[in-house]
Amino acid sequence: MDLLPIDNSQIAKKHGFRSLKLVNVDLDQEFQHQPFGVDYGRLDNGLTYYVRSNPKPRLRAALALAVKVGSVLEEEGERGVAHIVEHLAFSATKKYTNHDIVKFLESIGAEFGACQNAVTSADDTVYELFVPIDRPELLSQAISVLAEFSSEIRVSKDDLEKERGAVMEEYRGNRNASGRMQDAHWALMMEGSKYAERLPIGLEKVIRTVSSETVKQFYKKWYHLHNMAVIAVGDFPDTESVVELIRTHFEGKNSGPDPPIIPSFPVPSHEDPRFSCFVESEAAGSAVMISYKMPADELNTVKDYRDMLVESMFLHALNQRFFKLSRRKDPPYFSCSAASDALVSPLKAYIMSSTCKEKGTLQALESMLIEVARVRLHGFSEREVSVVRALLMSEIESAYLERDQMQSTSLRDEYIQHFIHNEPVIGIEYEAQLQKSILPYISASEVSKYAEKLQTSCSCVLKTIEPQASATVDDLKKVVLKINNLEKEGSIAPWDDEYIPEEIVNIKPDPGYIVEQIEYSNIGATELTLSNGMRVCYKCTDFFDDQVLFTGFSYGGLSELPESEYFSCSMGSTIAGEIGVFGHKPSVLMEMLAGKRVEVGTKLGAYMRTFSGDCSPSDLETALQLVYQLFTTNVIPGEEEVKIVMQMAEEAVRAQERDPYTAFANRVKEINYGNSYFFRPIRLSDLRKVDPVKACEYFNRCFKDPSTFTVVITGNIDPTIALPLILQYLGGIPKSPEAIFHYNRDDLKGLPFKFPKTVIRDVVRSPMVEAQCSVQLCFPVVLKNGTMVEEIHCVGFLSKLIETKIVQVLRFKHGQIYSACVSVFLGGNKPSRTGDVRGDLWNRLILLWMKWYIFKKKGLQIRMFQLCLKSSREPMKMDCRLNFENYYWLERILRSYQSRIYSGDVGTSFKIQDEGRSRVRETLTPSTAQSALRRILPYPCKKQYTVVILMPQASRFKLLRSLFKQNAPSRDAKILAAIAGGTVLAACLWRYSRKS
């Protein structure tokens, strides 16, 4: 193979993908083990390191400690210990105690939370940090934290006892319908191997009772520096200094003299397929999964890489067929897809999964098996493969053009895979050359041959999931036998494809013209008013070479409809989407857009109707053509499309009725919003009243008048190229002869809801397979119109402060929760420039904490806010530096147009919002934060709130008896933590006392 030298000059960077030179392909050429573009080596103590300079994002570093130790290494009495070690790492080490590591991360604005900083799998454990490096000492301290994880995690009895509660909360959180189904499928797939009984979460008995000595022995045995790598990718001025920091913090660490040999645990193959009919009463719906297991691939040579491309093409082509089948008359399933997945170190699988109607699993299974057999018999057509080839070529072109904008976290993840799985890192420039050289020569017949690997005699596992049993294992076996016989007889017909038009727009419109143009220098944006009345604001950026984002909005949405029309019209987007809102059926449009990076969608909201898109600069014309089609296409409902939509909607409603957490969330909405028709879930009785003609008529009217829309565009736009396209396809949208949906935002109706004026307490009792408990408390929020800008920023900051403190108290001090969430909902307010904003703040387990810490003890208030402010101000600064990218600018400009303070000048609106945020940030102190909480939330808080508790269906006396049997928490814990025991019992007694 001709390995071309990489030219990093500015001239070379400007060369497009199409001028990229090809390489002479030698299939036997081996990839170098040395990863591309990184300072890579090993310290004397065995630690491997990877260090790379990367400017995206600026002044940030993505760090990781990868450890080749996972749950499969556990003995029977250690099941769950690998995960416990991961938890203990953030609790205390030799150098950092009392969750000082978490406090450090929060103080510098780095994220900490569930699955954000570490993940334990069957084969490995990875610790990840994403930190600012604007001060030199921060990088050094972050690397020292990873060094502590490597060999200095403290595993004392007290540390373990404090962390058991958080681990148990994570364990319980996984015992829902989805978790049970995943666990059962894992055991079925791994049957006969140690992996089958080594899920990372472990066993409840081990989590509750394992000794600190057992945990310590596991940690000392397996956490050897030879089995670890530290990865650092960030905006470093040089890599040598970072390598020296790694040496400084890691060279003094020593493991045992001989690194333990990591054993391999093979997963046995089987010729006879395995069958399972899993019945899960809380399942979201009926589904079918077919898995074909095989040894994991090795990627060592160019031939291996070529095989990987062939596999990718096969899966893409198969998925195209699955999608088309799901949109045909009487489809066998609602959705179906195939993918390749590396399950564990020695094993990968091709997994096909589908969702289908109730009692439709056998039909779905038959269709999936027939389609694979059809490929074996007749293959894919040249056109099918050419569509896939264009798609893959477009993806690699986009990656190549954005190679200089690659994020540090993505590069870090590549080096983690290199260390853990020995995957080569060859660099995007060479990979683009290689893929461009290989793809044109992969034939349809070669892609089709991949179907030979998907035989039911090749370690196949077939599984159905149903809320109520209908299929049996014998039924599944009969389906497999039937399809095998049809294939042997050659009785499966070839694929019948549909006609694909050449052009999205058959007759290009006459372009419009610019009526007015305004430059906003403070945001670097240009606003155009077009001849048809549409307003377009664009901002040219260079964050990504191959990205353009846009969103168009218009005031007036579902909030303006009477209740009698609401349910029909709310289905407009869904029904129209199935028919095709861009002038072509979705299955046809999918192929028309192959090879193009274009995504466009629509949404009908409460007060606005919107369309949005994401495309490359070269595909901007295609994206704008789709918008033109949106405004000029009349969607007419057909019987089959409507039938499919309503079947899917009915299945979704039934799934919600089975899910206890959905019932819980629905009851919260019912109480907080007065059972408003706009917020309550759609019922089966509502669906039966839906008029599809009225739904499509409403959708058509929403996107008929361009003069009501404002469009914001951000990205790599060349105005000399983009403006003519904007004028032709946006300016060329015909202006409606009469006003359609011309709403003044100040006159829009408010949604029909009011937060209760008193205290309301309720318990939702739901049938559950495994007992779960959840508590949600909500407080009304009122933001005064005169200080709206500051208040909106303030309530967001305060939510983060409260959430941070809850985690500090309830997790780190008392070990009672895994994570906490505080959210503010203001979405029910009309966008009028007058009147106050009303909403609610909700979270779990907050009531007693707020009463005690915020409104009672002044000394505790000051200390609490000093801690929280120290950790919250840094994230504010970090956000300001990090988010100057296309999505950020799109969102900020949209908000400026939609802001209550907007009065015709988006630059001024933007400026006022920025100044309001700065004032809040600069003036936020313990006393001002307390005043804000009292002002925004009802004070004292005990007079107006709602508390809703989810409980399993059980007798009252059994519930009380089980609660009293639990260990009584300390006095401080009772005061500080509104956790399940005390809060649930109190809430139950409140409710029962009201009835007596």
Side-chain angles (χ1 to χ4, degrees):
M1 184 188 333
D2 182 15
L3 298 180
L4 298 178
I6 302 302
D7 185 358
N8 288 320
S9 68
Q10 291 300 316
I11 295 176
K13 289 181 180 179
K14 293 180 181 179
H15 284 181
F17 178 78
R18 290 170 180 81
S19 62
L20 189 65
K21 294 181 180 179
L22 303 181
V23 295
N24 297 320
V25 176
D26 176 2
L27 295 181
D28 295 327
Q29 175 71 45
E30 292 187 356
F31 294 124
Q32 294 182 358
H33 180 73
Q34 177 83 20
F36 171 81
V38 63
D39 199 336
Y40 167 74
R42 185 186 286 267
L43 302 184
D44 291 340
N45 57 14
L47 178 81
T48 302
Y49 64 82
Y50 303 75
V51 180
R52 175 165 175 168
S53 293
N54 186 64
K56 296 286 184 175
R58 193 172 73 86
L59 297 176
R60 295 294 176 270
L63 310 177
L65 179 71
V67 189
K68 294 180 181 179
V69 175
S71 57
V72 74
L73 297 177
E74 298 165 347
E75 299 301 331
E76 185 63 28
E78 299 174 330
R79 291 175 64 178
V81 167
H83 181 234
I84 291 173
V85 169
E86 174 217 304
H87 271 252
L88 289 172
F90 294 92
S91 172
T93 67
K94 183 177 181 180
K95 184 177 179 181
Y96 301 95
T97 61
N98 195 27
H99 293 96
D100 286 341
I101 290 174
V102 177
K103 295 171 187 175
F104 160 68
L105 294 175
E106 291 176 338
S107 72
I108 63 175
E111 287 188 335
F112 174 80
C115 300
Q116 287 179 331
N117 301 100
V119 177
T120 302
S121 71
D123 291 310
D124 54 76
T125 304
V126 179
Y127 301 87
E128 296 179 347
L129 303 177
F130 185 68
V131 298
I133 53 173
D134 47 345
R135 302 198 306 271
E137 68 274 12
L138 296 182
L139 179 60
S140 178
Q141 190 169 356
I143 292 175
S144 79
V145 167
L146 297 181
E148 291 287 293
F149 291 164
S150 71
S151 56
E152 307 293 352
I153 297 176
R154 198 176 72 188
V155 191
S156 71
K157 183 178 180 180
D158 290 343
D159 295 324
L160 181 56
E161 291 305 317
K162 285 182 180 180
E163 202 61 28
R164 286 190 204 272
V167 179
M168 273 307 304
E169 278 300 301
E170 188 176 355
Y171 175 87
R172 282 192 289 264
N174 192 53
R175 302 310 301 160
N176 54 19
S178 177
R180 289 190 294 272
M181 290 187 290
Q182 289 175 4
D183 291 355
H185 187 67
W186 178 267
L188 188 65
M189 293 280 285
M190 301 298 166
E191 186 178 322
S193 167
K194 189 178 179 182
Y195 284 105
E197 299 179 343
R198 290 299 180 270
L199 286 164
I201 194 63
L203 298 178
E204 180 177 0
K205 179 181 178 181
V206 173
I207 296 171
R208 291 188 182 279
T209 64
V210 68
S211 68
S212 58
E213 190 59 35
T214 299
V215 177
K216 187 181 299 183
Q217 287 175 358
F218 181 89
Y219 175 60
K220 292 297 182 184
K221 177 180 180 180
W222 294 112
Y223 270 60
H224 195 285
L225 289 164
H226 276 81
N227 297 328
M228 300 183 196
V230 62
I231 299 102
V233 183
D235 190 16
F236 310 132
D238 63 88
T239 58
E240 292 82 2
S241 60
V242 181
V243 172
E244 282 305 310
L245 283 176
I246 292 172
R247 292 186 188 279
T248 298
H249 292 293
F250 278 91
E251 273 194 330
K253 309 296 182 185
N254 289 300
S255 303
D258 297 315
I261 297 174
I262 304 293
S264 60
F265 301 96
V267 181
S269 60
H270 48 94
E271 289 187 7
D272 294 331
R274 293 175 184 164
F275 299 92
S276 173
C277 295
F278 192 83
V279 179
E280 170 54 63
S281 61
E282 297 172 14
S286 298
V288 178
M289 293 183 67
I290 309 174
S291 305
Y292 304 89
K293 300 181 295 183
M294 58 199 67
D297 294 327
E298 292 186 355
L299 188 57
N300 296 321
T301 67
V302 173
K303 183 182 182 303
D304 297 334
Y305 185 85
R306 191 181 190 280
D307 290 342
M308 183 188 70
L309 288 178
V310 176
E311 174 192 278
S312 181
M313 294 176 74
F314 168 77
L315 293 172
H316 275 85
L318 189 60
N319 283 329
Q320 285 184 342
R321 286 197 180 181
F322 285 152
F323 178 76
K324 291 177 181 179
L325 283 169
S326 71
R327 296 304 180 265
R328 289 186 176 181
K329 182 179 179 180
D330 192 22
Y333 37 68
F334 300 135
S335 65
C336 184
S337 63
S340 173
D341 189 15
L343 301 177
V344 292
S345 289
L347 187 72
K348 66 173 284 188
Y350 295 115
I351 300 176
M352 300 191 301
S353 57
S354 67
T355 60
C356 59
K357 61 186 177 183
E358 194 170 343
K359 299 182 180 179
T361 52
L362 296 179
Q363 182 187 6
L365 174 63
E366 182 173 317
S367 177
M368 295 161 73
L369 292 174
I370 279 180
E371 215 46 56
V372 177
R374 194 193 315 275
V375 176
R376 281 195 292 268
L377 286 175
H378 306 289
F380 293 113
S381 68
E382 289 292 343
R383 190 173 68 79
E384 286 180 290
V385 172
S386 67
V387 167
V388 171
R389 187 181 294 113
L391 176 65
L392 294 184
M393 198 74 82
S394 175
E395 290 177 356
I396 193 64
E397 178 180 6
S398 180
Y400 175 76
L401 294 177
E402 292 181 353
R403 62 196 183 281
D404 292 336
Q405 287 91 29
M406 188 171 288
Q407 297 293 300
S408 293
T409 49
S410 298
L411 292 169
R412 176 191 63 188
D413 293 344
E414 284 191 20
Y415 299 132
I416 290 173
Q417 293 304 309
H418 179 270
F419 177 73
I420 297 291
H421 300 296
N422 203 30
E423 292 185 6
V425 179
I426 59 177
I428 187 59
E429 290 94 342
Y430 178 58
E431 186 169 1
Q433 288 178 314
L434 196 58
Q435 195 158 324
K436 186 178 179 182
S437 304
I438 292 173
L439 275 174
Y441 301 100
I442 297 177
S443 66
S445 61
E446 188 175 359
V447 174
S448 303
K449 285 180 182 177
Y450 241 79
E452 296 294 333
K453 297 189 176 186
L454 276 62
Q455 303 269 11
T456 53
S457 58
C458 299
S459 296
C460 182
V461 176
L462 301 97
K463 176 181 177 181
T464 60
I465 299 168
E466 296 180 295
Q468 293 182 343
S470 67
T472 66
V473 169
D474 285 341
D475 293 332
L476 304 187
K477 291 180 178 179
K478 289 177 183 177
V479 171
V480 171
L481 181 62
K482 173 184 175 182
I483 306 307
N484 287 343
N485 288 335
L486 288 175
E487 183 177 357
K488 289 177 182 177
E489 297 165 1
S491 302
I492 300 173
W495 175 256
D496 181 20
D497 217 340
E498 53 194 332
Y499 169 73
I500 307 297
E502 293 292 329
E503 299 290 340
I504 292 173
V505 178
N506 292 325
I507 302 175
K508 293 187 178 181
D510 295 329
Y513 55 89
I514 298 172
V515 174
E516 184 180 18
Q517 179 170 329
I518 303 174
E519 303 291 337
Y520 295 108
S521 57
N522 64 318
I523 58 176
T526 301
E527 180 185 278
L528 310 174
T529 302
L530 306 184
S531 51
N532 59 5
M534 180 177 279
R535 179 170 52 195
V536 178
C537 181
Y538 67 86
K539 177 178 174 61
C540 307
T541 72
D542 59 358
F543 302 118
F544 292 96
D545 291 339
D546 201 38
Q547 184 181 67
V548 177
L549 305 175
F550 60 89
T551 296
F553 76 93
S554 177
Y555 285 113
L558 297 171
S559 58
E560 306 312 297
L561 298 170
E563 184 175 358
S564 60
E565 297 180 13
Y566 170 75
F567 291 109
S568 287
C569 295
S570 67
M571 293 290 292
S573 289
T574 307
I575 295 174
E578 284 299 312
I579 299 168
V581 298
F582 303 114
H584 304 280
K585 292 168 58 178
S587 58
V588 172
L589 190 63
M590 175 187 68
E591 289 206 16
M592 296 178 72
L593 296 179
K596 299 179 182 291
R597 205 187 118 187
V598 177
E599 295 179 12
V600 181
T602 64
K603 183 179 179 181
L604 300 181
Y607 299 106
M608 283 179 277
R609 50 201 189 273
T610 63
F611 62 84
S612 59
D614 181 353
C615 63
S616 66
S618 60
D619 292 325
L620 179 61
E621 180 174 10
T622 301
L624 296 178
Q625 285 179 338
L626 294 177
V627 176
Y628 174 80
Q629 291 286 92
L630 172 66
F631 279 82
T632 57
T633 297
N634 274 323
V635 180
I636 301 173
E639 181 180 350
E640 288 303 322
E641 293 94 347
V642 171
K643 182 180 178 181
I644 294 171
V645 171
M646 300 314 293
Q647 279 183 341
M648 289 192 291
E650 288 182 11
E651 289 297 326
V653 170
R654 291 190 181 97
Q656 290 179 355
E657 292 174 348
R658 291 190 293 268
D659 179 28
Y661 281 94
T662 301
F664 172 59
N666 289 342
R667 181 55 180 158
V668 171
K669 291 179 183 178
E670 182 181 344
I671 291 174
N672 289 352
Y673 309 134
N675 199 26
S676 164
Y677 69 86
F678 198 91
F679 289 99
R680 73 173 173 82
I682 292 181
R683 306 182 180 110
L684 288 175
S685 57
D686 298 321
L687 290 177
R688 294 179 183 123
K689 298 175 185 176
V690 168
D691 182 343
V693 174
K694 182 177 291 185
C696 289
E697 286 176 349
Y698 177 74
F699 182 88
N700 290 333
R701 294 182 68 202
C702 283
F703 298 99
K704 271 293 176 287
D705 191 345
S707 67
T708 67
F709 276 82
T710 296
V711 181
V712 178
I713 307 174
T714 62
N716 186 18
I717 305 165
D718 181 347
T720 61
I721 297 174
L723 280 179
L725 299 175
I726 289 171
L727 292 177
Q728 180 163 39
Y729 295 110
L730 298 186
I733 298 171
K735 188 172 183 179
S736 176
E738 59 182 24
I740 301 177
F741 290 166
H742 270 249
Y743 291 104
N744 184 319
R745 65 174 174 166
D746 294 330
D747 298 330
L748 294 175
K749 299 175 185 177
L751 297 182
F753 79 95
K754 291 182 180 179
F755 195 91
K757 294 184 178 180
T758 60
V759 175
I760 294 182
R761 309 175 181 96
D762 196 29
V763 177
V764 176
R765 296 197 174 277
S766 180
M768 297 183 190
V769 176
E770 295 193 34
Q772 300 273 337
C773 174
S774 187
V775 182
Q776 185 160 317
L777 293 112
C778 300
F779 299 86
V781 171
V782 179
L783 308 181
K784 296 299 180 182
N785 189 54
T787 56
M788 186 66 59
V789 175
E790 290 84 355
E791 297 282 70
I792 288 176
H793 289 306
C794 189
V795 74
F797 294 159
L798 292 174
S799 300
K800 182 62 179 176
L801 293 176
I802 296 170
E803 183 180 298
T804 300
K805 190 57 184 179
I806 291 173
V807 172
Q808 287 180 359
V809 175
L810 299 188
R811 177 172 181 180
F812 298 145
K813 186 171 182 179
H814 297 285
Q816 299 295 335
I817 66 170
Y818 180 52
S819 61
C821 177
V822 177
S823 297
V824 178
F825 173 71
L826 303 173
N829 288 279
K830 58 184 181 179
S832 168
R833 285 167 286 194
T834 61
D836 298 337
V837 167
R838 299 181 181 275
D840 55 73
L841 178 146
W842 66 267
N843 92 313
R844 300 174 184 176
L845 318 176
I846 186 177
L847 179 60
L848 295 181
W849 178 83
M850 288 187 67
K851 286 171 66 177
W852 182 256
Y853 269 86
I854 301 177
F855 300 117
K856 252 187 158 181
K857 291 207 169 184
K858 185 176 180 181
L860 286 175
Q861 290 170 2
I862 294 174
R863 286 197 295 272
M864 176 196 70
F865 281 107
Q866 284 174 340
L867 286 171
C868 292
L869 285 172
K870 183 179 179 182
S871 64
S872 68
R873 277 184 170 145
E874 287 293 343
M876 296 172 199
K877 296 177 185 176
M878 192 170 177
D879 288 344
C880 290
R881 294 175 187 143
L882 266 181
N883 293 327
F884 282 91
E885 294 181 354
N886 293 326
Y887 282 104
Y888 169 82
W889 279 106
L890 183 76
E891 183 70 15
R892 285 298 311 274
I893 295 174
L894 277 172
R895 286 185 180 180
S896 297
Y897 274 113
Q898 297 167 2
S899 168
R900 288 179 167 227
I901 59 176
Y902 175 73
S903 57
D905 187 318
V906 72
T908 300
S909 175
F910 193 98
K911 180 181 178 182
I912 292 172
Q913 290 185 85
D914 260 6
E915 290 174 347
R917 178 186 174 93
S918 297
R919 280 195 299 273
V920 171
R921 186 168 66 244
E922 292 166 1
T923 59
L924 197 61
T925 65
S927 59
T928 60
Q930 181 187 21
S931 299
L933 277 171
R934 291 182 173 184
R935 183 175 66 250
I936 293 170
L937 300 180
Y939 177 74
C941 67
K942 61 184 179 181
K943 292 185 177 181
Q944 189 183 10
Y945 62 86
T946 64
V947 54
V948 183
I949 301 151
L950 174 65
M951 295 289 290
Q953 277 187 349
S955 72
R956 186 183 310 172
F957 296 107
K958 182 178 179 180
L959 169 66
L960 294 176
R961 187 165 59 248
S962 65
L963 288 172
F964 281 124
K965 282 183 178 179
Q966 293 180 359
N967 293 329
S970 67
R971 183 177 181 276
D972 285 343
K974 291 178 182 177
I975 295 172
L976 295 172
I979 54 179
T983 306
V984 171
L985 177 58
C988 292
L989 293 176
W990 286 334
R991 189 185 189 203
Y992 299 143
S993 65
R994 292 169 67 200
K995 292 182 178 180
S996 59

